[in-house]
Amino acid sequence: MPKVISPANSKGGVAKTTSSVNLGHELACCGKKVLIIDGDSQRSATKNLGIEPRPGQATIYAVITEPSLGIKRAVVAYTGTPRYPVQYPPGGRLDVIPGAKQITEAPTAFDKSRDRQPVPTFNHVLPYIIEHFCGEYDYVIIDPSPSQDRVNAAIIYAADAIIAPVAAEPMAMDGVQELLESLLEMNAARDGLRLAGQTKLAGLLIAKVYPDQMKLVASLQQALDGAHIAHFGPTYIPYTTAGWESTGERVPIAIYAPDDAAAQAYRIVTQAL
Ligand SMILES: Nc1ncnc2c1ncn2[C@@H]1O[C@H](COP(=O)(O)OP(=O)(O)O)[C@@H](O)[C@H]1O
Ligand SMILES: [Mg+2]
């Protein structure tokens, strides 16, 4: 079974999508087979990878509302752009299930659907799909939206581990505590929801760090160590020009600027995974 990872933080703009795309890319560069599932109605992961679904192309919406039909009709193999073609080493692959604006309606559509069998509840859809149709992948990365809705709850329940991108800001530890509490509550609710497993915290990832925030990074890392909260040690993701320019070019940072500091930091986090 693949390892299922999702970046989680109910705030927007903290680098969830950037982390999904760049970690997915780095894993594929290490020869892993990776599937990115775009779980955000804004379709950021799909757009950041320059994927234009063909007319009639199935998206995540079809996959989760008609789960027994599988994922083949929705999967797109990532090959970069004409300007920046991407090739992975033998064994490596990055596939994407494109996002859909209507994903927010998927839970209600699922509840009403007659094609949802044999999946008992919406929270079981992603685990069902992963178990039955994702056996060839080493990693499945699910990119969530910033909201706290049924779709995002289902994503967290499907994840073996979450990575929590956080900004280096004075109140960061408050947000971290909230995140950990909600993870605890969700794991505690699993039995009642008949959901197996647990969602672990792979680590807090301090991201989008400006050069003048180094003191904040150091004190946040110290606070995390003191509270025994998993994080990626001394590694943080710097805010770099290539970091945002690569988004405009629709490619992972390392394709746009291989030596960029943010690209290198994502490489180190990938090794830690
Ligand atoms: N390391 C970085 N350097 C520069 N820009 C970044 C970096 N990480 C993220 N960004 C930019 O910040 C914005 C928000 O990031 P994104 O990953 O979309 O956040 P989220 O998915 O949490 O809403 C995007 O425009 C992205 O290009
Ligand atoms: Mg996003």
Side-chain angles (χ1 to χ4, degrees):
M1 280 293 108
K3 181 164 183 184
V4 184
I5 300 174
S6 177
N9 185 328
S10 50
K11 285 188 193 155
V14 292
K16 290 186 295 298
T17 302
T18 306
S19 298
S20 293
V21 164
N22 287 283
L23 294 175
H25 169 74
E26 292 299 337
L27 285 165
C29 287
C30 296
K32 302 294 180 191
K33 291 186 177 57
V34 184
L35 174 67
I36 293 181
I37 300 179
D38 187 345
D40 184 357
S41 59
Q42 293 184 50
R43 305 171 56 245
S44 312
T46 308
K47 288 185 204 161
N48 287 10
L49 288 168
I51 289 167
E52 289 296 337
R54 302 177 303 271
Q57 155 98 42
T59 65
I60 184 61
Y61 182 84
V63 168
I64 58 183
T65 53
E66 306 157 323
S68 57
L69 300 184
I71 63 167
K72 278 277 178 296
R73 64 216 159 111
V75 170
V76 179
Y78 181 62
T79 56
T81 63
R83 184 156 178 212
Y84 293 100
V86 176
Q87 257 192 335
Y88 292 110
R93 202 165 87 210
L94 182 59
D95 286 349
V96 181
I97 295 184
K101 233 198 247 166
Q102 325 87 290
I103 192 170
T104 47
E105 297 153 29
T108 318
F110 174 89
D111 292 344
K112 287 189 202 146
S113 166
R114 272 183 270 125
D115 296 324
R116 68 181 202 225
Q117 292 302 334
V119 183
T121 76
F122 187 72
N123 280 325
H124 293 85
V125 169
L126 287 165
Y128 170 86
I129 288 162
I130 289 156
E131 188 186 334
H132 289 86
F133 305 108
C134 296
E136 67 188 286
Y137 295 104
D138 300 303
Y139 289 88
V140 174
I141 298 176
I142 314 179
D143 189 44
S145 73
S147 52
Q148 284 177 306
D149 57 6
R150 280 180 73 190
V151 174
N152 267 12
I155 291 174
I156 290 182
Y157 278 130
D160 300 309
I162 61 169
I163 289 171
V166 288
E169 53 188 24
M171 302 300 281
M173 278 309 279
D174 288 359
V176 170
Q177 293 299 353
E178 276 168 37
L179 191 99
L180 291 177
E181 277 162 27
S182 87
L183 192 59
L184 269 177
E185 279 169 23
M186 289 185 72
N187 277 327
R190 274 178 180 273
D191 275 354
L193 297 168
R194 287 176 293 131
L195 290 163
Q198 288 277 299
T199 307
K200 294 192 193 74
L201 176 70
L204 266 288
L205 179 60
I206 308 171
K208 292 178 76 171
V209 174
Y210 294 87
D212 61 359
Q213 288 181 310
M214 289 319 298
K215 260 193 192 158
L216 277 168
V217 170
S219 67
L220 185 52
Q221 285 167 337
Q222 223 175 6
L224 293 172
D225 283 335
H228 302 290
I229 296 169
H231 64 109
F232 292 93
T235 306
Y236 61 89
I237 311 292
Y239 187 93
T240 64
T241 306
W244 56 266
E245 280 184 350
S246 59
T247 308
E249 289 293 338
R250 309 281 183 236
V251 287
I253 308 170
I255 293 294
Y256 180 72
D259 298 329
D260 177 72
Q264 286 177 14
Y266 274 118
R267 214 165 287 147
I268 293 170
V269 173
T270 303
Q271 297 302 330
L273 283 177

